[in-house]
Amino acid sequence: MAEARQAELLALQSRWPARGSRPPRLVSVALGEGTPFSVYQRQQRRWAERLGVRFEAIVLPEHTGGEVLKERLRSLDADPAVHGVLLQHPLPPPLDFFDLVSGLSPEKDVDGVGSVNLGRLVAGRPLQVPAVARAVFTLLRHYRYSIPGRPVVVLGRSETVGLPTALLFLLRGEGGDATVTVAHSRTRDLARTTRQAELVVSCVGHPGLLDRRSVGPGAAVVDVGLSTRPDPNSPGGMAVVGDADAEALRGYASALTPVPGGIGPVTSVELMANVLRSWALAEGLGAVP
Ligand code: NAP
């Protein structure tokens, strides 16, 4: 599935004129060497190479202060050769992730989480949207899953995952127009809420949250959640799992995205699509779908 989206983006690039002196470039900023962020940066580099995006990883000292970090982000933002800036998070307090990314130009905020991008999404005029939220729609489009009018439950309301996903479902037009319920940790009788949906999109990070009690028969499930649990048969003794109990839902749900291998790789491609969108705007090449 990720391959199909990758092919679509590569085909789009092949129709654009030669890249000139400023190819698409993504810079990923992390605090601290040897943290899980190093793993993310390695993955980002791999996907960037596949999608024709130059990638640079910057690792700043773990205890970098807010002003120094802000200044570094400001200079990356001002550099016309940089088309996307990622700030790996969570950040140690008192650093404020939202405040820092909101200082980026909306095009270069390729995580789509700054105040302008969130505001544009709320106003129904999205520019950069979190890649994971876009990935949900890329996947549904790929399988020609019709959304308008559907009762959809999004589980999770974080500003970076659940909330933008719910807002995309609400957008007017073919890709949206769903009837959306957002559930979270304070939702009363969660199972009753989720059972009413024809489509459940789970963005929580609790293994086993979705089973036959919480999913209606024949409903479809997009599993965005990612957690690890001990598993002697997996490399490193840990297995990556989603929110759904895949065994329980087999032959019961009409569709279920796997974890790993479902939304994750599509999210990586969508992140690069955000960089290409920023680059195409800077080069006056038009929109990236
Ligand atoms: P988060 O900030 O911890 O948010 C989790 C959300 O789930 C919150 O809204 C929380 O409610 C809600 N929640 C917690 N327990 C719940 C329960 N028992 N029932 C219903 N809702 C509950 O996490 P996040 O950053 O949004 O990420 C969500 C999941 O997506 C994580 O597993 C993360 O690893 C995964 N993820 C996957 C990808 C990918 O590429 N596949 C990308 C990004 C994130 P409250 O708001 O009330 O606290």
Side-chain angles (χ1 to χ4, degrees):
M1 210 278 77
E3 288 74 19
R5 177 66 169 141
Q6 181 178 333
E8 185 183 53
L9 291 169
L10 290 174
L12 182 69
Q13 288 187 65
S14 70
R15 293 198 294 275
W16 285 334
R19 286 154 171 230
S21 57
R22 283 186 189 148
R25 182 161 155 234
L26 170 65
V27 179
S28 168
V29 180
L31 301 193
E33 197 85 53
T35 61
F37 300 135
S38 322
V39 178
Y40 298 151
Q41 287 185 326
R42 272 203 300 280
Q43 288 168 353
Q44 287 160 1
R45 182 185 299 281
R46 221 175 32 237
W47 283 100
E49 280 165 4
R50 288 182 194 167
L51 269 301
V53 171
R54 291 203 182 167
F55 180 83
E56 186 186 337
I58 295 179
V59 180
L60 298 173
E62 203 173 333
H63 300 293
T64 300
E67 278 315 306
V68 174
L69 186 52
K70 221 177 223 172
E71 185 45 43
R72 195 63 191 259
L73 295 174
R74 203 177 293 134
S75 79
L76 288 170
D77 194 60
D79 184 344
V82 172
H83 304 96
V85 180
L86 289 176
L87 178 59
Q88 303 299 325
H89 63 103
L91 295 168
L95 297 178
D96 183 335
F97 175 69
F98 181 71
D99 187 37
L100 287 160
V101 289
S102 294
L104 295 170
S105 329
E107 297 80 8
K108 296 191 187 188
D109 167 26
V110 287
D111 252 340
V113 289
S115 55
V116 173
N117 279 317
L118 195 55
R120 287 187 63 132
L121 180 56
V122 171
R125 310 177 75 164
L127 176 65
Q128 298 288 27
V129 175
V132 62
R134 277 212 199 266
V136 171
F137 290 80
T138 299
L139 186 132
L140 294 173
R141 182 164 53 95
H142 180 80
Y143 290 106
R144 296 191 162 75
Y145 187 87
S146 166
I147 300 171
R150 291 246 191 216
V152 175
V153 170
V154 176
L155 278 168
R157 58 174 166 179
S158 73
E159 291 82 355
T160 48
V161 187
L163 183 61
T165 303
L167 289 168
L168 280 178
F169 274 112
L170 272 183
L171 286 184
R172 291 189 169 83
E174 266 314 289
D177 277 341
T179 305
V180 187
T181 303
V182 182
H184 45 78
S185 68
R186 305 297 303 273
T187 298
R188 210 180 297 150
D189 202 346
L190 189 77
R192 203 177 67 177
T193 305
T194 48
R195 271 188 85 83
Q196 287 160 1
E198 290 178 10
L199 172 64
V200 180
V201 182
S202 192
C203 319
V204 174
H206 276 206
L209 186 66
L210 294 176
D211 56 19
R212 290 192 180 207
R213 276 176 299 123
S214 46
V215 174
V221 177
V222 176
D223 196 349
V224 175
L226 281 183
S227 318
T228 49
R229 65 151 197 244
D231 176 9
N233 299 319
S234 296
M238 298 299 275
V240 177
V241 293
D243 291 343
D245 181 339
E247 272 308 306
L249 293 178
R250 186 162 300 134
Y252 174 84
S254 58
L256 168 65
T257 62
V259 177
I263 283 292
V266 192
T267 300
S268 304
V269 180
E270 288 303 333
L271 176 61
M272 298 309 148
N274 283 354
V275 180
L276 293 171
R277 184 172 299 109
S278 168
W279 179 75
L281 280 170
E283 299 283 313
L285 291 171
V288 170

